[in-house]
């Protein structure tokens, strides 16, 4: 049994929250650079250039890439041979508190959805746990802004709707999002499970690096087809036209009931922030 101190988790999470909001992954940066080279619409190309300039300024001046530093979402894999000396959930939330206050990140969480009082430290986080073999604790943080989150959708499709039904729902969601979700997008798609799991799958899909594909060939094919169709919509960077509407389409699936085909589309802007650390 391997022991990990709660204090180590807290300090790691604090650093992760700051880093994820200040620096995009190299894969994400490369995707935007490639899109800028391929974009034929002059205005769209200019906007993509400005996005790259914004990333450079954020990195140079150590300031957030986007003013909406998001609600902190975590995917945590807990090895069965790990013992946390302290409360794991409390340790993560304390890390969020430290990261958002000491990193001068915008605090965007309200304690009650009706009364709307700001918690002033961006807690509580949303935490998804998964028990796995081994003696490691793997933490992924994905700060999620709500400009794109508000344009996300869940559909309870019928099995008879098939692949075409999935495609139509995804494309409809992206079209309806338009400029409101700050394109170019990364689109996370969940298929299967049930009502609540499919939404988690779509959020988890956003933590995959752009350019990667689902290991199942038929799902990877669907990712490619949707990517092509979405980029034909003409929404373009900032919604001002062009061929770069999506930077990536990531799909995650799970087994489901014979009578259903749950589908969730989690929209994300070009600032698809996430960071993973293993302890």
């Amino acid at each position: 049994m391997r022991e990990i101190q709660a204090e180590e988790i807290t300090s790691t999470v604090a650093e992760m929250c700051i880093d994820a909001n200040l620096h995009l992954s190299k894969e994400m940066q490369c995707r935007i650079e490639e899109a800028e080279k391929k974009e034929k619409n002059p205005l769209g190309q200019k906007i993509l250039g400005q996005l790259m300039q914004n990333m450079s300024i954020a990195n140079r001046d150590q300031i957030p890439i986007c003013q909406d530093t998001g609600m902190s979402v975590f995917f945590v894999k807990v090895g069965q041979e790990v013992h946390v000396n302290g409360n794991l959930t409390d340790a993560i939330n304390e890390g969020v508190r430290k990261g958002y206050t000491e990193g001068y990140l915008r605090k965007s969480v309200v304690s009650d959805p009706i009364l709307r009082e700001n918690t002033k430290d961006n807690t509580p986080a949303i935490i998804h746990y998964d028990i796995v073999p081994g003696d490691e604790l793997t933490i992924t943080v994905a700060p999620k802004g709500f400009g794109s989150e508000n344009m996300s959708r869940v559909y309870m499709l019928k099995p008879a709707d098939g692949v075409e039904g999935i495609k139509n729902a995804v494309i409809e969601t992206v079209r309806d999002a338009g400029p409101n979700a700050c394109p170019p997008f990364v689109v996370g798609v969940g298929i299967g499970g049930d009502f609540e799991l499919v939404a988690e799958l779509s959020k988890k899909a956003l933590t995959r690096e752009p350019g990667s594909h689902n290991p199942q060939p038929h799902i990877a094919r669907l990712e490619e087809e949707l990517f092509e169709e979405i980029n034909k919509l003409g929404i373009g960077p900032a919604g001002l036209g062009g061929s770069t509407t999506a930077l990536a389409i990531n799909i995650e699936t799970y087994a489901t009931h014979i009578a259903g085909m749950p589908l969730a589309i989690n929209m994300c802007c070009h600032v698809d922030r996430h960071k993973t650390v293993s302890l």
Side-chain angles (χ1 to χ4, degrees):
M1 184 66 70
R2 179 165 168 259
E3 190 165 284
I4 300 177
Q5 301 299 318
E7 292 79 10
E8 182 181 1
I9 296 167
T10 292
S11 62
T12 298
V13 166
E15 291 173 7
M16 291 173 71
C17 288
I18 295 170
D19 192 39
N21 275 294
L22 269 55
H23 310 108
L24 279 190
S25 69
K26 289 181 180 178
E27 292 83 357
M28 204 65 225
Q29 292 181 47
C30 288
R31 202 72 169 182
I32 296 173
E33 288 171 7
E34 290 169 6
E36 193 264 346
K37 291 173 185 175
K38 293 177 182 177
E39 180 59 62
K40 291 182 171 57
N41 182 335
L43 182 55
Q45 191 176 57
K46 181 178 180 181
I47 291 166
L48 290 167
Q50 289 173 338
L51 296 182
M52 289 191 292
Q53 184 181 18
N54 178 66
M55 286 188 294
S56 177
I57 293 170
N59 184 58
R60 184 193 69 206
D61 296 347
Q62 292 296 285
I63 56 177
I65 303 165
C66 176
Q67 64 174 347
D68 185 351
T69 51
M71 191 168 190
S72 298
V73 180
F74 288 86
F75 294 93
V76 183
K77 293 181 180 179
V78 184
Q80 289 176 309
E81 302 303 317
V82 169
H83 174 257
V84 176
N85 190 2
N87 185 290
L88 178 53
T89 298
D90 288 348
I92 292 172
N93 275 311
E94 181 60 24
V96 172
R97 183 177 295 110
K98 282 175 63 67
Y100 274 76
T101 53
E102 295 175 9
Y104 301 101
L105 304 176
R106 195 181 84 180
K107 291 80 175 172
S108 303
V109 175
V110 295
S111 57
D112 184 280
I114 305 299
L115 300 179
R116 314 297 296 180
E117 183 178 353
N118 197 299
T119 64
K120 297 182 175 59
D121 59 12
N122 225 55
T123 66
I126 296 172
I127 310 171
H128 303 285
Y129 290 110
D130 191 13
I131 307 299
V132 298
D135 64 354
E136 286 190 338
L137 180 68
T138 301
I139 304 171
T140 297
V141 63
K144 191 64 164 65
F146 266 57
S148 58
E149 189 77 355
N150 285 338
M151 303 309 295
S152 302
R153 298 288 182 270
V154 173
Y155 295 82
M156 300 305 289
L157 299 180
K158 302 182 292 295
D161 291 325
V163 174
E164 286 307 309
I166 293 170
K167 286 183 179 180
N168 291 339
V170 173
I171 292 168
E172 176 185 53
T173 300
V174 173
R175 185 186 290 115
D176 289 348
N180 297 320
C182 300
F185 309 121
V186 176
V187 184
V189 179
I191 307 172
D194 61 0
F195 182 80
E196 81 275 4
L197 179 59
V198 75
E200 182 181 337
L201 288 172
S202 68
K203 181 64 64 65
K204 190 175 182 180
L206 294 174
T207 64
R208 268 179 38 206
E209 292 302 342
S212 64
H213 280 296
N214 189 291
Q216 301 178 85
H218 68 293
I219 301 299
R221 207 159 43 242
L222 182 56
E223 289 175 334
E224 291 175 350
E225 291 169 3
L226 280 168
F227 183 72
E228 185 177 338
E229 290 300 315
I230 286 169
N231 281 322
K232 289 179 182 176
L233 293 175
I235 295 170
L240 297 174
S243 58
T244 313
T245 296
L247 294 168
I249 310 293
N250 295 344
I251 302 176
E252 295 294 321
T253 66
Y254 195 81
T256 192
H257 191 278
I258 57 172
M261 190 164 63
L263 170 70
I265 301 101
N266 197 193
M267 299 299 300
C268 188
C269 66
H270 63 279
V271 184
D272 182 18
R273 296 165 292 192
H274 54 272
K275 186 174 180 62
T276 300
V277 171
S278 292
L279 298 176

